[in-house]
């Protein structure tokens, strides 16, 4: 049983290297979890639902030449464990006191880590959300952001520390242009100014509040209207991060991308769009299993010479063993790759190097992205599917659009938004299909 002063928090985080970089210089902090050096080049995803007195979520965007920014963002993420302990277990320390102490210590550690980076200077932005006993505390340095979505309105809780005309800024990256505008960051020295975060006024969290913590890999690609549309949908936090990541990683995106969505909900069971989709998929799969077993039983009861094979499989088998004089059918079965046809659809082999036609049975397709995506005109998104079974090549999937004036799709699943409207993108393998609705505002 939960205590009255605690809020049930649902949250999800995702971080991705993106389209153009070898390593992820972003890092996230998710109630004690963060990206480790072992996972620096892999997608990161995590979700939770829990009652806790203190919840801490943060995004860090590392800066440094030759992909060394990951050192700074990792230091900042690992040090947050000490902040969580101080807020949780020291009743005399306020969140403001703990955060300022954490930032000063982290700032010095990042400045002093040049020996770890071969003499290259590094730095990191920070966007930090603390939910402590039902109160939200927000802090940031740099251009990583925290948003609040409440009553269908999106409010930016942070302030970008970027240069205006005539103001000194720092350039720590090889490209220099984008990161050169940052004026406050973790890793500052005294000549560059005082390392002090922006602090939003604390407020009481309400049931239904959603928070978005993200790096500029998100906000450089999506404007606040697009984020509002996404957070307005009835999804759980992992559904929101899925869509935000898919939209942010369009073809012209060259940055790492990180997003955390946090939601305060009423205790109990919550039906979301994602759950409905899973339930419908399970019902379809269950129906397919029933039909498949019924079909298999009927075929099995009428087989004769080649007992245990369907008519289609029998003909296929006869073609392979035809002309083998004196061969015994039962002894040769182990040498022939047979396919069950009880469920799904059979797709012919396209491997021209083999004279033997291999048959694949597709049981199901699952879209890796959200099935309802809002895409700005001129933007693109790469769709992909998981095939059951996983030995079926991706080349067997065929892509199509029912409205190419609104959105087109190529043979690899790349969708391009053309004009305002809606289009349904279909991925199919034989008779098995999955769809994605593309909305172009």
């Amino acid at each position: 049983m939960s205590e009255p002063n605690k809020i049930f928090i649902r949250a999800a985080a995702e971080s991705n290297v993106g389209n153009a970089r070898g390593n992820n210089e972003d890092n996230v902090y998710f109630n004690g979890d963060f990206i480790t050096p072992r996972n620096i080049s892999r997608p990161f995803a995590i979700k939770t639902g829990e009652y806790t007195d203190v919840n801490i979520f943060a995004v860090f965007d590392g800066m440094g030449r030759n992909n060394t920014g990951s050192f700074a963002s990792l230091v900042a993420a690992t040090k947050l464990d000490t902040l969580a302990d101080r807020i949780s277990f020291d009743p005399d320390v306020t969140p403001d006191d703990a955060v300022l102490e954490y930032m000063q210590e982290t700032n010095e550690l990042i400045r002093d880590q040049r020996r770890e980076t071969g003499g290259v200077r590094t730095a990191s932005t920070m966007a930090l959300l603390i939910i402590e006993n039902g109160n939200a505390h927000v802090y940031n340095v740099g251009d990583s952001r925290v948003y609040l979505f409440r009553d269908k309105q999106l409010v930016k809780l942070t302030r970008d520390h970027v240069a205006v005309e005539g103001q000194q800024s720092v350039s720590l990256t090889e490209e220099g242009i984008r990161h050169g505008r940052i004026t406050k960051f973790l890793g500052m020295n005294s000549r560059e100014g005082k390392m002090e975060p922006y602090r939003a006024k604390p407020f009481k969290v309400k049931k239904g509040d959603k928070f978005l913590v993200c790096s500029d890999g998100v906000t450089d690609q999506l404007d606040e209207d697009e984020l509002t549309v996404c957070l307005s949908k009835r999804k759980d936090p992992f559904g929101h991060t899925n869509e935000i990541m898919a939209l942010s990683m369009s073809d012209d995106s060259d940055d790492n991308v990180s997003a955390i969505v946090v939601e305060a909900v009423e205790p109990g069971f919550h039906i979301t769009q994602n759950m409905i989709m899973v339930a419908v998929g399970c019902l379809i799969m269950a129906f397919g299993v029933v039909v498949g077993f019924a079909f298999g039983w009927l075929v099995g009861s009428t087989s004769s010479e080649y007992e245990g094979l369907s008519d289609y499989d029998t003909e296929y088998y006869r073609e392979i063993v035809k002309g083998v004089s004196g061969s015994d059918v039962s002894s040769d079965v182990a040498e022939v790759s047979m396919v069950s046809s009880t469920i799904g659809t059979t797709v012919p082999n396209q491997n021209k190097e083999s004279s033997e036609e291999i048959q694949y049975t597709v049981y199901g397709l699952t879209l890796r992205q959200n099935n309802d995506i809002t895409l700005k005109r001129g933007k693109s998104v790469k769709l992909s599917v998981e095939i059951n079974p996983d030995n079926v090549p991706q080349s067997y999937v065929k892509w199509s659009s029912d409205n190419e004036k609104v959105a087109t799709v190529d043979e690899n699943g790349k969708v391009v938004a053309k004009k305002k409207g809606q289009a349904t993108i279909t991925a199919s393998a034989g008779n098995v299909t999955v769809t994605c609705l593309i909305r172009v505002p």
Side-chain angles (χ1 to χ4, degrees), residues 126-187:
M126 180 197 76
L128 172 63
L129 167 66
I130 301 172
I131 300 178
E132 177 253 348
N133 290 321
N135 296 302
H137 305 265
V138 174
Y139 310 83
N140 86 291
V141 289
D143 57 357
S144 295
R145 297 178 180 177
V146 180
Y147 289 94
L148 168 67
F149 182 76
R150 174 185 286 183
D151 299 330
K152 300 181 180 180
Q153 300 293 319
L154 187 71
V155 179
K156 187 172 77 168
L157 301 177
T158 50
R159 178 179 296 169
D160 292 345
H161 295 119
V162 296
V164 296
E165 187 175 355
Q167 185 178 5
Q168 183 180 2
S169 61
V170 66
S171 175
L172 295 175
T173 56
E174 288 174 333
E175 60 269 28
I177 298 173
R178 186 172 62 84
H179 287 310
R181 56 194 174 97
I182 302 298
T183 59
K184 286 188 181 293
F185 47 90
L186 294 171

Side-chain angles (χ1 to χ4, degrees), residues 21 27 33 40 80 117 127 163-164 170-171 297 352 354 364 368 380 415 433:
R21 300 194 178 189
N27 212 312
D33 289 293
I40 198 171
L80 268 180
T117 60
V164 296
V170 66
S171 175
W297 180 82
K352 296 181 180 179
S354 172
R368 288 192 174 99
S380 63
V415 178
T433 63

Side-chain angles (χ1 to χ4, degrees), residues 398-419:
K398 306 301 180 186
W399 296 89
S400 62
S401 170
D402 71 344
N403 192 345
E404 293 194 344
K405 292 182 179 179
V406 173
T408 60
V409 61
D410 67 12
E411 61 183 8
N412 299 313
K414 177 185 173 183
V415 178
V416 179
K418 297 293 187 180
K419 60 180 292 187

Side-chain angles (χ1 to χ4, degrees), residues 2 23 64 76 101 129 162 206 213 232-233 251-252 274 278 280 301 307 314 316 319 330 360 370-371 395 420 425 440:
S2 63
N23 287 328
E101 183 176 333
L129 167 66
V162 296
K206 292 170 55 177
V213 188
S232 298
K233 296 175 182 176
D251 283 351
D252 60 347
N274 303 66
V278 171
V280 171
S301 65
E307 184 175 359
T314 300
Y316 172 58
E319 288 297 317
S330 61
Y360 290 105
N370 182 49
N371 71 335
S395 60
K420 183 177 180 180
I425 305 300
V440 183

Side-chain angles (χ1 to χ4, degrees), residues 61-243:
D61 186 351
M63 300 176 285
R65 292 181 175 86
N66 302 320
N67 287 323
T68 55
S70 57
F71 285 87
S73 60
L74 177 62
V75 168
T78 55
K79 282 292 291 181
L80 268 180
D81 275 343
T82 61
L83 172 66
D85 290 342
R86 290 209 65 193
I87 295 176
S88 298
F89 303 114
D90 191 339
D92 297 326
V93 173
T94 67
D96 280 356
D97 294 336
V99 168
L100 290 175
E101 183 176 333
Y102 152 79
M103 294 188 68
Q104 294 298 333
E105 292 177 355
T106 303
N107 193 62
E108 293 177 12
L109 284 173
I110 292 174
R111 284 205 318 257
D112 295 342
Q113 71 165 355
R114 290 196 181 193
R115 63 181 178 275
E116 305 292 337
T117 60
V120 176
R121 185 186 176 192
T122 63
S124 178
T125 69
M126 180 197 76
L128 172 63
L129 167 66
I130 301 172
I131 300 178
E132 177 253 348
N133 290 321
N135 296 302
H137 305 265
V138 174
Y139 310 83
N140 86 291
V141 289
D143 57 357
S144 295
R145 297 178 180 177
V146 180
Y147 289 94
L148 168 67
F149 182 76
R150 174 185 286 183
D151 299 330
K152 300 181 180 180
Q153 300 293 319
L154 187 71
V155 179
K156 187 172 77 168
L157 301 177
T158 50
R159 178 179 296 169
D160 292 345
H161 295 119
V162 296
V164 296
E165 187 175 355
Q167 185 178 5
Q168 183 180 2
S169 61
V170 66
S171 175
L172 295 175
T173 56
E174 288 174 333
E175 60 269 28
I177 298 173
R178 186 172 62 84
H179 287 310
R181 56 194 174 97
I182 302 298
T183 59
K184 286 188 181 293
F185 47 90
L186 294 171
M188 292 180 68
N189 58 49
S190 57
R191 296 188 306 276
E192 293 165 328
K194 187 176 182 181
M195 204 294 300
E196 187 175 31
Y198 174 76
R199 292 178 278 181
K201 184 178 180 180
F203 60 92
K204 199 76 176 175
V205 176
K206 292 170 55 177
K207 299 295 195 308
D209 283 351
K210 295 179 184 179
F211 297 88
L212 169 63
V213 188
C214 62
S215 65
D216 67 345
V218 171
T219 53
D220 283 349
Q221 295 296 317
L222 304 180
D223 59 32
E224 293 185 357
D225 289 340
E226 292 171 303
L227 293 174
T228 300
V229 170
C230 178
L231 294 173
S232 298
K233 296 175 182 176
R234 189 176 181 182
K235 298 180 180 179
D236 62 24
F238 202 57
H240 289 311
T241 58
N242 280 177
E243 181 169 5

